[in-house]
Each structure stands twice: as structure tokens, then as C-alpha cells.
């Protein structure tokens, strides 16, 4: 075993955690994404030592691990702030005020996109989509939702972070945990906070409530449809169509010269 730059006690802890993660997968290399979160929970970003640890643990090259770590934006290749403040500036959030929120926060913090304040407290990001369009504009802090924001409300939340105060998301746990703590959760380790707070807000449940009021339910299959669906699901995925069946070109007439534009020389 190589040391990969970690102190022995740190390496022993990472080895134990990594073994728990890898045991969940039939193929060890499938554990790469959570292992990247694991080393990020240790270093605050995916460091060179973290890359080496993942590669050694999974029997991969460091180049392969780096390729994955640089593809996903949740993995940081330089030290990240204690809190990542992500403002959605995709179409709906942008027209609802997302661009203004980002600009105000950028001015207040003195940093731009994917930059961190000098004290290491906050990293600011433009986010392509927070997948919460029913609560636009949305800001996330370490991937916890702050819904229906305005520039003033977002500034208020960030000012509390700067002051060292706890902040409570609109949906989720009672307080936002640190970037390292959240990275450990994303690696697959329960922090005991999953059942705290509101999981789904009213806007997300509006359609369900309307359906209940009207007694609407999803259509059910009759016996023939169920059999057809079951047969389709049981068919081999790579089964080739037979001669004359749909998608088969076996009985298609061969092309003639008339079907091809041939330029005579």
C-alpha cells in the first residue's frame, strides 16, 4: 500500500470508509463517484492525494480518476469555501430575479463565479439549474434549498453565514451543514438529518392535491395490456427483428442506378 500523502491515521480512516462504500457495488470501479465525495469531505476539495487514493483503492489510473473529477461540477479541484452558495441563473430563475441575486451577492462578497472569499468562508457559483423551478428563483447552500428568493433575502442569508450564524433552508434539515460534512453525506454516510424539515413544498404538491380533490387516478392496464407490457419487458434487449418484421430491411428491393445520382465522367 502506498501512503498517497495522507497521515497514517487519516489513511486508516479513509481505508475503512472506502471499504464500506466499495462493498455496496458489484464492481469496485462503480464506487468512484462516492469515493470522490469522501476524499472531498477530508480535504475540502479533490486534492492530488485524493485522486491517488481513489485510483489506488479502485485499481484505476490517476488519469481516469482525474477525468471524472473534472467532469462534474460538484467536485472541486481547488480548496472550496465552507459554504457553497449556488444561485440558479437558468431561464426561469433568471427572469424571476436570479441574475440580480447573483450580481448582488457577487458585489457583497467581492468574488465572481466559482471564486472563494479570502477568509475561505464562501464559494459563489452560478448554477445551471437547481431542479426547483416551482420555487424560482432558487438559491442553494451546500445543496440545501432556499426557495423564492429575492436579492434582499439572499443577502440576508449570506450575511448570517459571514457572521458565523446557522442558517435554515426552506426545505430540509434544521440547519445547513458545512461543505465537508455535506460531502460525506454525498459519499453515502448518514448524518441523521434526512427526516428533518419539509421534504416537499406546496408548489410541488399542487398537482397531487388537485387530483385528490377531483378523484383523479392514473389509468390502469387491462389484462391484455399488462400481458403485452410484461412480454415486451421480458424480451431480450438485443433481439434482432426477423425477416419481414418491423425494422427489417431484408425484403427491401436492392437499389438500382435510377436511385443513385451518378455523374458521368
Amino acid at each position: 500500500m502506498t501512503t498517497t500523502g495522507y497521515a497514517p491515521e487519516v489513511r486508516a480512516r479513509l481505508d475503512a470508509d472506502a471499504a464500506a462504500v466499495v462493498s455496496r457495488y458489484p464492481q469496485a470501479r462503480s464506487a468512484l463517484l462516492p469515493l470522490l465525495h469522501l476524499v472531498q469531505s477530508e480535504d475540502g476539495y479533490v486534492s492530488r492525494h485524493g485522486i491517488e487514493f481513489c485510483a489506488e483503492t479502485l485499481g484505476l489510473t490517476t488519469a481516469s480518476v482525474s477525468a471524472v473529477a473534472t467532469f462534474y461540477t460538484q467536485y472541486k479541484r481547488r480548496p472550496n469555501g465552507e459554504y457553497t452558495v449556488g444561485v440558479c441563473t437558468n431561464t426561469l430563475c433568471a427572469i424571476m430575479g436570479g441574475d440580480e441575486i447573483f450580481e448582488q451577492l457577487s458585489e457583497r462578497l467581492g468574488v465572481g463565479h466559482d471564486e472563494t472569499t479570502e477568509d475561505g468562508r464562501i464559494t459563489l457559483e452560478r448554477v445551471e439549474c437547481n431542479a426547483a423551478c416551482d420555487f424560482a428563483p432558487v438559491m442553494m447552500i451546500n445543496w440545501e434549498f432556499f426557495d423564492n428568493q429575492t436579492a434582499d433575502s439572499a443577502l440576508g442569508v449570506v450575511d448570517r453565514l459571514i457572521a458565523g450564524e446557522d442558517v435554515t433552508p426552506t426545505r430540509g434539515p434544521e440547519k445547513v451543514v458545512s461543505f465537508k460534512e455535506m460531502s460525506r453525506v454525498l459519499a453515502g454516510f448518514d448524518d441523521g438529518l434526512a427526516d428533518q424539515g419539509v421534504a416537499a413544498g406546496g408548489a410541488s404538491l399542487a398537482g397531487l392535491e388537485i387530483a385528490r380533490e377531483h378523484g383523479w387516478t392514473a389509468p390502469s392496464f387491462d389484462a391484455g395490456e399488462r400481458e403485452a407490457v410484461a412480454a415486451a419487458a421480458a424480451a431480450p434487449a438485443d433481439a434482432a427483428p426477423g425477416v419481414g418484421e418491423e425494422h427489417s430491411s431484408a425484403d427491401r428491393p436492392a437499389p438500382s442506378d435510377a436511385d443513385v445520382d451518378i455523374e458521368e465522367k
Side-chain angles (χ1 to χ4, degrees):
M1 181 186 75
T2 57
T3 60
T4 62
Y6 286 114
E9 64 276 12
V10 174
R11 177 59 191 251
R13 185 175 65 251
L14 287 174
D15 281 335
D17 287 341
V21 172
V22 173
S23 69
R24 303 170 189 155
Y25 298 88
Q27 295 186 15
R29 66 179 300 151
S30 299
L32 177 55
L33 297 185
L35 283 192
L36 286 169
H37 284 299
L38 178 64
V39 296
Q40 191 159 252
S41 75
E42 182 67 37
D43 298 325
Y45 69 111
V46 179
S47 66
R48 177 175 59 84
H49 299 322
I51 292 286
E52 293 170 349
F53 173 79
C54 291
E56 181 186 326
T57 301
L58 301 178
L60 301 173
T61 65
T62 54
S64 295
V65 176
S66 295
V68 174
T70 55
F71 183 83
Y72 296 102
T73 58
Q74 279 189 318
Y75 302 123
K76 311 302 180 183
R77 294 309 314 275
R78 59 180 181 273
N80 198 73
E82 184 177 0
Y83 298 97
T84 296
V85 176
V87 181
C88 181
T89 54
N90 207 333
T91 306
L92 182 58
C93 278
I95 64 175
M96 296 291 286
D99 285 336
E100 176 64 19
I101 291 172
F102 182 88
E103 294 303 326
Q104 291 286 336
L105 290 178
S106 179
E107 182 177 346
R108 175 67 59 88
L109 296 170
V111 296
H113 168 66
D114 198 26
E115 295 179 352
T116 302
T117 54
E118 290 186 3
D119 60 2
R121 190 78 171 160
I122 296 174
T123 297
L124 181 64
E125 290 184 339
R126 286 184 179 271
V127 178
E128 182 62 21
C129 183
N130 278 329
C133 301
D134 41 352
F135 296 102
V138 175
M139 175 176 72
M140 296 190 84
I141 300 178
N142 291 347
W143 301 290
E144 299 289 1
F145 288 102
F146 288 76
D147 302 323
N148 300 313
Q149 291 296 294
T150 64
D152 288 341
S153 66
L155 287 169
V157 171
V158 170
D159 283 343
R160 291 178 61 192
L161 289 177
I162 294 172
E165 300 177 19
D166 291 336
V167 295
T168 302
T170 310
R171 293 171 283 137
E174 295 173 1
K175 70 172 186 177
V176 174
V177 299
S178 71
F179 179 78
K180 287 185 177 181
E181 291 173 305
M182 180 55 72
S183 293
R184 183 169 175 81
V185 173
L186 293 172
F189 295 93
D190 186 9
D191 63 356
L193 305 180
D195 295 326
Q196 287 187 359
V198 177
S204 298
L205 301 174
L208 178 60
E209 294 303 322
I210 293 171
R212 286 174 175 170
E213 290 173 6
H214 292 272
W216 296 339
T217 58
S220 60
F221 293 121
D222 61 26
E225 289 174 318
R226 284 197 299 272
E227 290 176 3
V229 170
D238 58 350
V243 175
E245 293 182 353
E246 187 177 1
H247 305 306
S248 173
S249 60
D251 56 355
R252 184 180 301 162
S256 67
D257 291 344
D259 298 315
V260 182
D261 183 14
I262 301 176
E263 180 180 355
E264 299 207 4
K265 302 294 183 182

